[in-house]
Amino acid sequence: MGVTYNAAVKTARITATRDYFANGTLEIQAADNTVLAIFGLEADGGDISGDTWTLVFDSATVTGQVGAGAGMNATKAQIKTSGGTAHLTGLTVGTTGTDIVLDNVNIASGQSVTLTSAAIQHAA
């Protein structure tokens, strides 16, 4: 039988996670780990509601310039601390129903990458 956390513990744990990564970065990646786009998290990291952390980014418009991996599909993401260490990996990326939702996962050269939503929910 798996471990089950009550609501208060989930909120405390996801808040600690948000605080750990505050002012860090979200990296959108291709399957081969090529970084396609980078978004900076705000100094407070985002908003908590119950067991869910909604990431909030530095700019009002959530777009990032494409990196060297242009012409690839975005398939995953990771969050790095403000010191640049990736401690939260394996986030799902897609156009719906994933941790990180983009308007388009096929990233072309010179394209702006637009995030529709970015939220992480605590496990059961």
Side-chain angles (χ1 to χ4, degrees):
M1 183 167 143
V3 174
T4 302
Y5 298 98
N6 75 15
V9 173
K10 288 181 186 181
T11 299
R13 288 172 54 106
I14 202 72
T15 299
T17 301
R18 182 224 30 215
D19 295 348
Y20 183 80
F21 289 102
N23 214 29
T25 57
L26 170 69
E27 292 185 346
I28 307 298
Q29 300 175 311
D32 69 354
N33 298 327
T34 300
V35 176
L36 302 176
I38 300 172
F39 299 87
L41 288 167
E42 279 192 344
D44 69 359
D47 302 320
I48 301 294
S49 178
D51 65 351
T52 303
W53 167 28
T54 301
L55 286 71
V56 177
F57 301 95
D58 288 331
S59 64
T61 22
V62 187
T63 58
Q65 209 47 40
V66 176
M72 303 176 93
N73 285 330
T75 60
K76 60 185 178 176
Q78 65 182 9
I79 300 176
K80 290 185 173 182
T81 64
S82 60
T85 306
H87 285 188
L88 181 54
T89 61
L91 297 170
T92 59
V93 174
T95 57
T96 185
T98 54
D99 300 317
I100 310 302
V101 178
L102 304 176
D103 66 337
N104 176 18
V105 294
N106 186 356
I107 311 300
S109 181
Q111 171 185 339
S112 289
V113 178
T114 302
L115 279 166
T116 303
S117 68
I120 299 168
Q121 186 174 25
H122 191 287

